[in-house]
Amino acid sequence: MKVLVTGGAGYIGSHTTLSLLELGHDVVVLDNLCNSSAESLRRVQEISGRNVEFRQVDLLDVEALDAVLAEFQFDAVIHFAGLKAVGESVENPLAYYQNNVVGTLNLLHGMDRAGVRTLVFSSSATVYGASEQVPLHEDEPLNATNPYGRTKEQIEDILTDLGAADPRWRVALLRYFNPAGAHASGRIGEDPRGVPNNLLPFVAQVAVDRREKVTVFGADYPTPDGTGIRDYIHVVDLAVGHIAALEFLTSRNGVFRWNLGTGRGSSVLEVIEAFSEAAGKKIKYEFADRRPGDAAISYADPAAAQDELGWSADKTLAQMCEDQWRWQRKNPLGYSEVG
Ligand code: NAD
Ligand code: WQD
């Protein structure tokens, strides 16, 4: 298949591009590099020994977007491009609605004009909001609690309406839980700009002495050790999940939604412990107040993806930490330290 990957230079996009190439698909990446570096794609080519066409294009630039859709005959699009920082979305909601919702509308119009109507979309477990009906099933009502999450919910609605209006569309809405880890080569991984918002990259930066200690947000949750529980999923398992969804859509019209998670929860302290084990060193942490908006417990019911896609996330928390540590240790400053 010839696949357009929007946001393909980013964390999950670069790993998915690599998996696509390894399976023999042809990939064109469209990314404006607002939160990534083209170095990730150079390394994806190096690991796979295959070429990736790259177009530095913003989804808000309709003309440039249409030019890419006209240049190639795509079979499908995997759509990662978007802004993803919850706190930033609260401070600057218009930028999030503009980039994520308008960017996606531009993409959908362009795809329709080009006659490409197969799409895999990066949704998020964030659409479940603070629901603690664990394990979270796809039928759980959506109730995002911040502008970022609402962009995902709105895009899910838009795609559901589109599929109902035009049965030629084939759409997978993939609700990721907490992506973590890196490719086993240690050559590609997550490279957050500024202070990481997410737990794993923060812990990794403490382990590599870029930061002094981890702040654990809340020690008084109703969980066995008092810290928040999440469903961490290895980014390579996640990448493979996209390809399973793409394959499913080759024979099915309609709009489908799947949780991509492991179905297992780990607490913040368990993550710090697993990372200490992988890095072979103690990781300093201190307790602080809960972070506003955080749920106590969130983990997936992954049965639907398992039954319908034949996919499951098998890599353990220990593997995520080992791989993330290898990436961080080899690239302490991420891609800015080119090598
Ligand atoms: P990322 O920031 O590493 O990747 C997103 C990519 O999109 C970046 O390379 C960025 O430059 C690009 N981009 C953003 N806006 C663009 C635009 N207007 N035009 C072109 N390119 C644009 O993030 P990621 O962690 O790889 O996440 C990928 C997708 O998965 C996002 O949509 C995110 O919301 C979603 N998601 C991420 C997580 C997570 O925790 N990482 C969890 C659930 C869902
Ligand atoms: C995990 C746990 C924190 C940082 C977010 C988005 C969600 C999705 C994934 C995109 C929680 C605790 C964290 C730290 C900590 N992204 N924590 N100290 O909040 O589950 O989900 O990323 O779609 O939309 O909301 O992930 O990694 O931020 O936090 O104690 O420095 O770690 O309280 O319990 P979260 P996270």
Side-chain angles (χ1 to χ4, degrees):
M1 264 191 260
K2 192 160 198 80
V3 185
L4 175 65
V5 179
T6 77
Y11 172 44
I12 308 168
S14 56
H15 288 80
T16 305
T17 295
L18 178 56
S19 294
L20 285 164
L21 294 171
E22 285 174 342
L23 287 167
H25 299 291
D26 294 322
V27 182
V28 177
V29 165
L30 178 155
D31 199 304
N32 66 1
L33 302 182
C34 70
N35 195 40
S36 55
S37 154
E39 175 62 13
S40 64
L41 296 176
R42 199 189 65 71
R43 296 189 186 187
V44 162
Q45 295 184 96
E46 173 201 287
I47 301 166
S48 64
R50 296 205 45 214
N51 182 54
V52 178
E53 293 287 341
F54 174 55
R55 297 291 177 270
Q56 186 169 348
V57 165
D58 193 314
L59 286 178
L60 298 178
D61 181 345
V62 172
E63 232 172 85
L65 172 61
D66 279 350
V68 176
L69 287 162
E71 185 182 353
F72 303 92
Q73 290 255 303
F74 293 111
D75 298 299
V77 176
I78 305 184
H79 177 32
F80 293 103
L83 300 174
K84 62 163 183 177
V86 171
E88 190 181 67
S89 80
V90 174
E91 282 159 27
N92 197 353
L94 293 184
Y96 271 67
Y97 288 110
Q98 184 75 15
N99 193 75
N100 293 5
V101 180
V102 176
T104 301
L105 284 171
N106 289 346
L107 177 67
L108 297 174
H109 281 299
M111 288 174 65
D112 203 35
R113 280 192 290 270
V116 186
R117 296 189 185 84
T118 300
L119 179 77
V120 177
F121 171 62
S122 298
S123 188
S124 168
T126 200
V127 296
Y128 297 120
S131 170
E132 287 177 4
Q133 283 301 316
V134 286
L136 283 155
H137 186 271
E138 286 84 353
D139 291 341
E140 183 68 19
L142 304 193
N143 186 21
T145 55
N146 56 68
Y148 164 70
R150 280 189 280 273
T151 68
K152 294 294 181 192
E153 209 179 308
Q154 290 178 3
I155 295 166
E156 285 206 9
D157 285 344
I158 290 167
L159 288 166
T160 304
D161 289 342
L162 181 60
D166 183 344
R168 290 174 299 177
W169 281 84
R170 299 167 175 220
V171 177
L173 310 174
L174 301 184
R175 296 175 182 160
Y176 318 153
F177 279 68
N178 290 62
H183 188 257
S185 63
R187 295 289 289 153
I188 58 170
E190 186 171 10
D191 183 19
R193 295 200 172 159
V195 181
N197 296 305
N198 294 118
L199 180 64
L200 259 298
F202 201 105
V203 171
Q205 291 192 5
V206 173
V208 81
D209 295 328
R210 262 175 79 177
R211 303 189 187 277
E212 196 204 335
K213 58 187 170 217
V214 182
T215 304
V216 177
F217 300 137
D220 58 349
Y221 284 109
T223 61
D225 66 18
T227 66
I229 289 179
R230 295 290 182 276
D231 186 341
Y232 298 92
I233 171 170
H234 197 293
V235 65
V236 173
D237 278 337
L238 198 55
V240 173
H242 288 73
I243 295 161
L246 209 53
E247 280 165 3
F248 178 96
L249 294 179
T250 58
S251 61
R252 233 66 71 90
N253 292 49
V255 179
F256 306 88
R257 43 193 65 69
W258 291 290
N259 287 336
L260 296 189
T262 66
R264 292 181 298 275
S266 305
S267 74
V268 177
L269 291 183
E270 283 169 340
V271 169
I272 294 175
E273 181 57 37
F275 210 99
S276 301
E277 191 72 30
K281 53 166 88 171
K282 272 238 145 325
I283 290 169
K284 270 177 67 179
Y285 63 86
E286 67 178 6
F287 291 112
D289 289 346
R290 294 180 181 193
R291 187 171 62 179
D294 274 359
I297 306 182
S298 164
Y299 58 89
D301 177 345
Q306 199 165 340
D307 295 347
E308 295 162 25
L309 300 178
W311 167 92
S312 61
D314 302 321
K315 294 186 193 291
T316 61
L317 180 63
Q319 282 171 293
M320 295 177 222
C321 293
E322 281 158 23
D323 290 338
Q324 185 132 4
W325 173 236
R326 189 177 305 104
W327 153 253
Q328 190 73 65
R329 183 167 48 80
K330 286 181 153 190
N331 308 271
L333 301 175
Y335 293 117
S336 55
E337 198 185 47
V338 172

